[in-house]
Amino acid sequence: MKRHRDESVAFSAVFGLPAEVGMRMAADALSLGLSTAYTRARSGEFPCPLRKVGCRYVVRLTDLMRALGIQDVRVHYDDFEAGARIASGRSDTWH
């Protein structure tokens, strides 16, 4: 009998990516120099929404991915487990 799960998780969570990143990582991902990134942040022209925490800016990973054109899709556990089986050389099915 095949296991069935309806639960899913965001692709970024599967790989343990952080929920938020700092300005340096966001600027690097967007191919911006750090000075340019801060200038755009102060003028409201940064390519994705920012949040100020104390004296630093943070960007939600989902917003950064969206700005880069990367979709943070939902991954179903059955698909994730099947991919792990295939990657390990086992292609057996659930019994």
Side-chain angles (χ1 to χ4, degrees):
M1 181 161 111
K2 183 175 177 171
R3 286 191 300 170
H4 178 71
R5 295 189 199 167
D6 288 334
E7 303 102 16
S8 65
V9 65
F11 176 83
S12 57
V14 169
F15 293 98
L17 300 175
E20 296 179 329
V21 297
M23 181 60 89
R24 182 176 303 279
M25 184 176 287
D28 286 346
L30 294 164
S31 299
L32 296 173
L34 193 55
S35 296
T36 302
Y38 277 108
T39 300
R40 288 189 179 180
R42 285 189 295 273
S43 68
E45 296 175 2
F46 198 75
C48 53
L50 296 166
R51 188 166 64 90
K52 200 148 187 195
V53 178
C55 61
R56 50 176 253 157
Y57 289 101
V58 294
V59 179
R60 288 183 340 147
L61 183 64
T62 54
D63 292 333
L64 179 58
M65 290 174 67
R66 190 172 298 118
L68 292 167
I70 302 169
Q71 185 178 6
D72 192 19
V73 297
R74 303 295 296 178
V75 178
H76 293 274
Y77 284 108
D78 286 344
D79 295 335
F80 184 67
E81 290 171 348
R85 282 195 313 278
I86 291 167
S88 69
R90 296 181 299 129
S91 59
D92 56 333
T93 58
W94 294 104
H95 296 280

